[in-house]
Amino acid sequence: MSAEPDFAAATSRTLAHLHRVRRAERERRRGRTAFALYTIGLLVAIWGVPYLVAGLHTARAGGWDGPAARHVLASLPVTAPTLVALVLYAAARDALWRGPIRLDGPAASWLLPLPVLRRRLFRPRLLGAMLVSGAAGTAAGGAAGFVLYVLGADSWPGPTAGGAFAGLLTGLGAVGAGVLVQRHDRVPLRYAGRTLLGVRLVLLVLVALSVPALLGSGTGWIGTVVSWSGPWGWATQPLLAATATRAPGWAPAGVLALLGTAALLGLAWRASGAIPAEGLRTRTALVARVTASVLTLDLRQAGTVVRGARTTRRPRPVWRLPIPHDRRLTIPWRDATALLRAPRLLGWAGLWTTIAVTLTAAAPEPATRPRVLLCALALTGAYLAVSRLAEPARVETDDVRRAGNLPFSAGVLALWHGVVPALSAITATGVGLGVCAVVGRWHPALLLLPAAVPVLTGAALVSAYRGPVPTSVLFGADTPMGNTALAQTALWYLRGPLAALAVGVPALAAAGAHDGLAPIPLACVLAAAGPMGWWVHYTGRRLRAG
């Protein structure tokens, strides 16, 4: 009979051996980390400090004081907890393919199968993730608190400290939530799907409450309920009290937030030693694939890998569309069926459409410069909504064999892919315009949003059919100002939406400056659909020709 292996002793010997053989790599990593911290500090000193001083002078002079700034401050009881909840949700989603505890390739392939104690291997990485996430959250929260002072808070130390407190707890909570997702990776899909649906509904309610609060309708008792609805609200109450927002119980809420974060980290600490090895190996492979795709500037492949890892169950359409008898309707039918099988895309499209309509409704109020900025953000949101609806076209371009037997040329096929996104976006924006009319936020400039849908749809299809980045773009050209590869690559990826914004933003800003209907901007946007359609046709033919 052989004695049971001494896992503690074997773990100590294994880790000591790795500590010796990886000393050189560890020193190189420390050097890279030190250089990165030095670069960040230098950039903050050069760019951050002047903006900090300018922000202090602007705040003392009341340069940002206005209706929009007051609306932001008054909406904090709803918007701040919503932002914290969204960050925690994003961390949990990130853990589906990456997670706080990560191993490199050699460790995942060689070290995990050995008889070593997992907690000795994972917990140092957990501590490192807590340190990095906590520091990043503290810095981001402190910066956000200082911005609130610039917008009109009474003093800067209180909001900065309150924001840093909320950021610290959010960063640590994100690590804890990510570790628990990694630990329970084998939860049956039916339970995971139900939990995910409930979380999304809660987030949807919070976002829906934030929109009218930002528009100036006030928060009232809704703000009190949201700020006390859970740890995401407790952590923000010191910030609310520091910005002159009514938060009488901020001290007990802060204590509850500390206790809740400590309990979450305690659960994560206990669960870190029982993370399944299979899940870690899968995540290591996914991270390697995403890193390779990003380094080669193949962002579409990186997104496909991440979305595939986040899929929790096989999609099923809510409604089954009848097969059309006219072959010309084959592409719209297939695109609509694909969207029904991916309600996530419809949800994101609805969210971005809501943001676009909200910003467009608020654009006519401020002066020229803020109006142009709001118009640009509104059209960017509308483009993102249309791009989610055009996802079937992206899938089509990733595998050209799907359309090999269809009786359409490449250019005509690309144009047919725009039918469903355009009709869906026009319908969604029409509903948004109706809501604005009902709540008393109607302005004739809102008509330009559905009028811009054809141009935005063309931009989304140009992005879908852009293909791989040419080698000449990756190498760029050497000029006295440096190499142009970065600028050329950015222009290659963004040429579609940039063209749409170049047409839509001036027209929308000009329409917002008039109280009545502006026919010339409306005609310009509608006329731009023709050249954009030609561009889509040309891009589709060029991609098929190679």
Side-chain angles (χ1 to χ4, degrees):
M1 295 293 294
S2 60
E4 291 290 332
D6 188 357
F7 291 107
T11 302
S12 299
R13 291 192 299 268
T14 303
L15 295 181
H17 175 70
L18 290 177
H19 186 78
R20 290 192 301 269
V21 300
R22 304 188 73 174
R23 181 180 291 113
E25 174 63 24
R26 191 166 57 252
E27 291 176 356
R28 284 193 293 268
R29 189 179 303 170
R30 289 174 180 172
R32 291 194 297 266
T33 303
F35 179 74
L37 293 176
Y38 167 76
T39 304
I40 293 174
L42 191 63
L43 292 176
V44 169
I46 294 175
W47 296 98
V49 173
Y51 282 109
L52 179 67
V53 175
L56 283 172
H57 290 301
T58 303
R60 290 170 181 170
W64 283 87
D65 189 18
R70 289 193 291 270
H71 291 170
V72 171
L73 294 176
S75 66
L76 284 178
V78 176
T79 56
T82 301
L83 182 61
V84 173
L86 289 174
V87 171
L88 294 177
Y89 173 74
R93 295 284 290 174
D94 178 79
L96 292 175
W97 73 275
R98 187 172 55 173
I101 298 179
R102 297 187 292 271
L103 299 177
D104 53 13
S109 302
W110 178 78
L111 193 56
L112 282 181
L114 295 180
V116 296
L117 294 176
R118 300 280 174 82
R119 62 177 180 272
R120 296 274 301 275
L121 179 63
F122 296 159
R123 285 178 178 174
R125 289 169 170 79
L126 174 58
L127 291 175
M130 291 168 55
L131 178 62
V132 173
S133 183
T138 302
F146 183 80
V147 169
L148 295 178
Y149 164 66
V150 175
L151 293 178
D154 294 336
S155 61
W156 70 267
T160 303
F165 176 80
L168 173 63
L169 296 189
T170 303
L172 296 178
V175 173
V179 172
L180 292 180
V181 171
Q182 286 184 288
R183 168 62 184 88
H184 300 287
D185 199 17
R186 297 176 179 175
V187 174
L189 293 183
R190 60 179 181 273
Y191 299 119
R194 293 172 183 174
T195 303
L196 192 59
L197 178 61
V199 172
R200 286 175 176 172
L201 289 177
V202 172
L203 291 175
L204 184 61
V205 170
L206 291 177
V207 172
L209 293 175
S210 300
V211 173
L214 282 172
L215 292 177
S217 63
T219 57
W221 62 270
I222 296 178
T224 304
V225 172
V226 173
S227 60
W228 282 98
S229 59
W232 46 86
W234 304 338
T236 63
Q237 292 210 26
L239 174 63
L240 302 181
T243 55
T245 306
R246 189 172 179 272
W250 66 269
V255 174
L256 287 176
L258 284 172
L259 294 177
T261 304
L264 181 61
L265 292 178
L267 293 175
W269 184 264
R270 293 185 58 183
S272 60
I275 296 177
E278 179 183 358
L280 283 173
R281 282 192 289 267
T282 302
R283 286 176 173 82
T284 301
L286 289 174
V287 169
R289 292 175 59 188
V290 171
T291 302
S293 300
V294 171
L295 292 177
T296 57
L297 298 179
D298 192 355
L299 303 182
R300 184 175 300 174
Q301 177 64 25
T304 302
V305 172
V306 173
R307 287 191 296 269
R310 289 177 173 178
T311 302
T312 57
R313 59 182 177 180
R314 184 179 180 180
R316 295 180 180 178
V318 181
W319 298 285
R320 295 185 180 273
L321 300 177
I323 299 176
H325 299 289
D326 191 341
R327 67 178 185 178
R328 291 173 298 181
L329 300 178
T330 301
I331 300 302
W333 171 80
R334 202 163 67 175
D335 290 348
T337 302
L339 291 176
L340 291 177
R341 286 181 175 271
R344 170 184 58 86
L345 298 176
L346 298 176
W348 278 110
L351 176 61
W352 286 118
T353 302
T354 303
I355 294 174
V357 173
T358 302
L359 293 175
T360 305
E365 294 183 359
T368 303
R369 289 184 179 179
R371 184 191 305 130
V372 173
L373 177 60
L374 287 176
C375 292
L377 293 176
L379 288 179
T380 301
Y383 167 77
L384 292 175
V386 175
S387 66
R388 294 295 87 195
L389 296 173
E391 187 66 23
R394 298 177 186 270
V395 177
E396 193 85 53
T397 59
D398 289 338
D399 187 1
V400 296
R401 297 172 298 178
R402 290 165 52 93
N405 297 324
L406 294 177
F408 301 107
S409 64
V412 174
L413 178 65
L415 291 175
W416 273 111
H417 275 300
V419 173
V420 172
L423 293 179
S424 302
I426 290 175
T427 303
T429 53
V431 172
L433 267 60
V435 173
C436 290
V438 171
V439 300
R441 302 289 300 185
W442 172 257
H443 191 277
L446 288 168
L447 292 175
L448 267 77
L449 201 57
V453 167
V455 176
L456 297 173
T457 304
L461 292 176
V462 168
S463 298
Y465 278 85
R466 62 174 174 253
V469 184
T471 306
S472 59
V473 174
L474 291 176
F475 282 103
D478 293 325
T479 67
M481 299 297 294
N483 193 276
T484 62
L486 182 61
Q488 286 183 267
T489 304
L491 184 61
W492 172 266
Y493 275 105
L494 301 176
R495 65 187 188 275
L498 286 178
L501 292 178
V503 174
V505 171
L508 186 57
H514 297 82
D515 294 333
L517 180 64
I520 295 179
L522 183 61
C524 291
V525 171
L526 293 175
M532 187 64 75
W534 173 85
W535 193 11
V536 172
H537 189 276
Y538 169 77
T539 305
R541 288 193 297 107
R542 183 188 54 80
L543 179 64
R544 180 68 64 87

